[in-house]
Amino acid sequence: MSITKICCIGAGYVGGPTMAVIAQKCPHIQVTVVDLNEERIAAWNDENVDNIPIYEPGLSDIVAEARGRNLFFSTNVEKAIDEAQIIFISVNTPTKTYGKGKGMAADLKYIELCARQIARIAKDNKIVVEKSTLPVRTAEAIKSILDNTGNGVQFQILSNPEFLAEGTAVTDLLNPDRILIGGDTSVEGQKAIQSLVDVYANWVPADKILTTNVWSSELSKLTANAFLAQRISSVNAMSELCEKTGADVNEVARAIGMDSRIGPKFLKASVGFGGSCFQKDILNLVYIAKSYGLNEVADYWEQVIIMNDHQKRRFSNKMVQTLYNTVADKKIAFLGWAFKKDTNDTRESAAIYIADDLINEQAQIAVYDPKVSSRKVLADLDYLETRTSEKNSANVTSFSDPYEACASAHAIAVLTEWDEFIAYDWQKIYDGMQKPAFVFDGRNILNRVALESIGFIYQGIGS
Ligand code: UDX
Ligand code: ADP
């Protein structure tokens, strides 16, 4: 089937950039991205492309090129479903916060709502593509909902996991390491796979497009994220040992990364990984393993999360200890709130947990992040439900100028690796701070020797 109309349900960090790139690379295909969130769609349609709701380097240029030509953002979910031949489901699948599997399993209520909506509206055959990270065997559930509507429409369900990393979404989408498409082994299933392969073949070389069965595709996504996160927890575990023994984790990482079997990527010790995927996907993997009675497998992967939580807690404890065992009423400046650089996403960001710990110690937190709003910072803390919103507001202030955030602070915590932090006038920052002035570099991006020569007391991770 030649594809001319695609719809994507969910205009978030995955759906938005992915569809923008498909539209740019396939001008003959009409791509409509729909979302229930009116504010979000209005922002995607904002005349000024710099106001689109997701910050990703290069994204606004692509949206400017394709929007109104063959890329559309709308809240009319029904119309888009009705018209499309391929429907991507890109809605959020957070970890469940209630009931069975609470804190572990993925909450599929948004997915199920989408499936029911598609079932209700579709009048002709559709290919439904899972784009969100989903537990293995979700496709089966979607299929069961779609096939039992009784209106005779045929659905093919494909799994097409997204491997883009935030902050580099556009380059990842333009030059993917691989595209993975899982589908049914039946003739109809293979035809559906081919239709989606043909879409990607507009810009991705054929040898990078892999096709598998649905379950392999779903599990590959969880496995890739578990392996990546495991590397970070492994290097973070070594960082603690380095701090005790006088080794430098940056040197250790460089040395082991030159072993071609290990490779240099994802070996950067940090205050802990964040983001919407790693923790959620591993918890999901753990839940699936447990549900099959595979307790050793579950425990093995759970340790990656336990190590990550430990790393965050260890960082805040170390700050308090170093600051003479009290941070009460002390101003602590946070450079960075996003979970990594070049994104405005803060989901599971280590900064949230470090702030939470320090507020428990009655610190005053001053936040500067080049892309995160003060509203978001407070919403992230309120979401933890550790204390009232009023109390969070009383202890946390956001600044739009980093020098103001650091003025008269006792310490600075670097929590996101934004490049601009490196270029600051650190002498000026030092001059404005309480003495002794401390820097806790949770990303190991600053120059220790230069800072120490100014007079700072510097602590990085793992050295
Ligand atoms: C991840 C996967 O990389 C991507 O393929 C998948 O589709 C979604 O999940 P993302 O969460 O956007 O992407 O960012 P990623 O670059 O993987 O970073 C995740 C976290 O790990 C960040 O907090 C980052 O700062 C941290 N990290 C990464 C480290 O602490 N050390 C490293 O060496 C690499
Ligand atoms: P991701 O990182 O997976 O893209 P986001 O939370 O950024 O996650 O985006 C998911 C989007 O899906 C949100 O904007 C949300 O409003 C939207 N969404 C959730 N359920 C539905 C639904 N049934 N119909 C349309 N949009 C939905």
Side-chain angles (χ1 to χ4, degrees):
M1 175 169 41
S2 163
I3 302 300
T4 53
K5 281 192 176 160
I6 286 177
C7 133
C8 172
I9 308 179
Y13 283 90
V14 172
T18 310
M19 293 304 128
V21 168
I22 292 183
Q24 188 205 29
K25 293 292 175 186
C26 311
H28 56 288
I29 299 178
Q30 181 183 312
V31 180
T32 307
V33 190
V34 292
D35 204 297
L36 296 172
N37 184 335
E38 289 177 11
E39 202 186 331
R40 211 167 204 184
I41 290 297
W44 278 111
N45 282 323
D46 197 298
E47 254 175 64
N48 179 353
V49 280
D50 291 334
N51 292 337
I52 56 175
I54 284 167
Y55 173 71
E56 276 292 341
L59 181 60
S60 55
D61 291 342
I62 294 181
V63 170
E65 179 188 332
R67 197 177 59 186
R69 179 188 71 188
N70 65 325
L71 175 65
F72 302 92
F73 296 92
S74 160
T75 50
N76 195 339
V77 183
E78 301 202 352
K79 178 165 179 277
I81 291 176
D82 180 34
E83 291 179 352
Q85 297 149 300
I86 298 186
I87 301 163
F88 285 87
I89 303 185
S90 240
V91 302
N92 36 339
T93 51
T95 304
K96 272 186 91 173
T97 52
Y98 54 88
K100 193 163 176 282
K102 179 179 172 191
M104 291 230 143
D107 192 340
L108 297 182
K109 71 176 175 202
Y110 303 106
I111 296 281
E112 180 165 341
L113 277 171
C114 281
R116 290 189 185 280
Q117 200 166 16
I118 296 170
R120 190 161 44 78
I121 293 160
K123 295 192 278 298
D124 53 7
N125 297 351
K126 307 269 185 212
I127 298 171
V128 177
V129 185
E130 302 177 343
K131 201 61 177 157
S132 325
T133 306
L134 294 168
V136 177
R137 305 238 151 204
T138 302
E140 202 165 46
I142 297 179
K143 188 160 178 47
S144 158
I145 293 168
L146 291 176
D147 285 348
N148 287 297
T149 56
N151 56 6
V153 173
Q154 297 289 312
F155 293 100
Q156 280 301 323
I157 320 294
L158 302 179
S159 158
N160 172 218
E162 188 47 73
F163 294 107
L164 67 82
E166 289 174 32
T168 53
V170 171
T171 42
D172 292 346
L173 286 162
L174 291 174
N175 304 298
D177 285 344
R178 80 305 207 181
I179 295 288
L180 184 55
I181 301 174
D184 204 275
T185 46
S186 65
V187 175
E188 294 75 27
Q190 295 300 305
K191 274 192 197 155
I193 290 178
Q194 193 55 46
S195 299
L196 190 55
V197 168
D198 291 343
V199 172
Y200 284 109
N202 282 292
W203 78 98
V204 181
D207 61 343
K208 289 196 171 173
I209 305 179
L210 302 184
T211 60
T212 64
N213 75 35
V214 176
W215 321 129
S216 302
S217 169
E218 288 181 324
L219 188 58
S220 298
K221 168 74 187 220
L222 297 187
T223 310
N225 278 344
F227 270 57
L228 290 169
Q230 184 204 42
R231 284 173 69 97
I232 303 169
S233 276
S234 297
V235 81
N236 281 344
M238 300 319 292
S239 76
E240 189 170 13
L241 190 57
C242 286
E243 285 169 30
K244 293 280 182 228
T245 57
D248 178 335
V249 78
N250 302 311
E251 293 178 350
V252 173
R254 195 174 335 122
I256 65 163
M258 286 173 76
D259 185 324
S260 60
R261 294 167 302 176
I262 297 176
K265 295 182 182 166
F266 274 74
L267 286 182
K268 194 141 182 44
S270 69
V271 56
F273 59 75
S276 68
C277 281
F278 282 176
Q279 171 155 317
K280 179 187 76 176
D281 287 356
I282 293 175
L283 288 173
N284 204 346
L285 190 61
V286 169
Y287 183 74
I288 293 167
K290 277 196 182 145
S291 67
Y292 286 105
L294 308 178
N295 293 326
E296 290 77 6
V297 176
D299 290 349
Y300 177 76
W301 287 110
E302 191 168 17
Q303 203 59 38
V304 174
I305 302 289
I306 293 171
M307 188 64 224
N308 198 48
D309 288 339
H310 171 66
Q311 187 76 348
K312 291 182 271 188
R313 184 58 40 84
R314 194 168 84 72
F315 187 85
S316 50
N317 283 346
K318 200 168 173 186
M319 285 183 73
V320 176
Q321 255 173 28
T322 311
L323 294 167
Y324 314 105
N325 285 315
T326 176
V327 289
D329 300 325
K330 288 182 182 168
K331 181 179 179 186
I332 313 280
F334 275 28
L335 291 182
W337 189 265
F339 83 97
K340 63 187 281 198
K341 72 174 179 179
D342 292 338
T343 178
N344 61 350
D345 193 354
T346 62
R347 286 176 287 182
E348 291 301 327
S349 179
I352 304 169
Y353 298 94
I354 306 299
D356 191 48
D357 286 348
L358 295 179
I359 299 171
N360 281 342
E361 295 291 333
Q362 301 184 355
Q364 286 291 330
I365 314 283
V367 181
Y368 168 76
D369 186 292
K371 293 288 174 195
V372 179
S373 67
S374 59
R375 194 173 67 149
K376 189 84 194 62
V377 168
L378 286 171
D380 287 338
L381 285 166
D382 290 350
Y383 187 75
L384 294 182
E385 295 183 349
T386 313
R387 62 189 75 72
T388 62
S389 197
E390 289 70 31
K391 179 86 182 103
N392 283 328
S393 309
N395 283 62
V396 180
T397 315
S398 289
F399 290 80
S400 53
D401 176 67
Y403 295 91
E404 273 175 36
C406 297
S408 72
H410 288 258
I412 294 171
V414 178
L415 297 168
T416 313
E417 70 282 23
W418 287 101
D419 292 335
E420 65 173 63
F421 299 162
I422 300 165
Y424 286 172
D425 180 346
W426 283 92
Q427 180 69 54
K428 184 174 158 192
I429 291 178
Y430 180 80
D431 292 343
M433 288 176 67
Q434 306 277 348
K435 307 296 176 322
F438 294 84
V439 174
F440 298 92
D441 187 353
R443 296 293 184 161
N444 288 351
I445 54 167
L446 300 178
N447 184 330
R448 168 195 284 265
V449 176
L451 289 180
E452 286 179 346
S453 73
I454 291 172
F456 277 108
I457 299 175
Y458 175 93
Q459 286 196 355
I461 301 273
S463 61

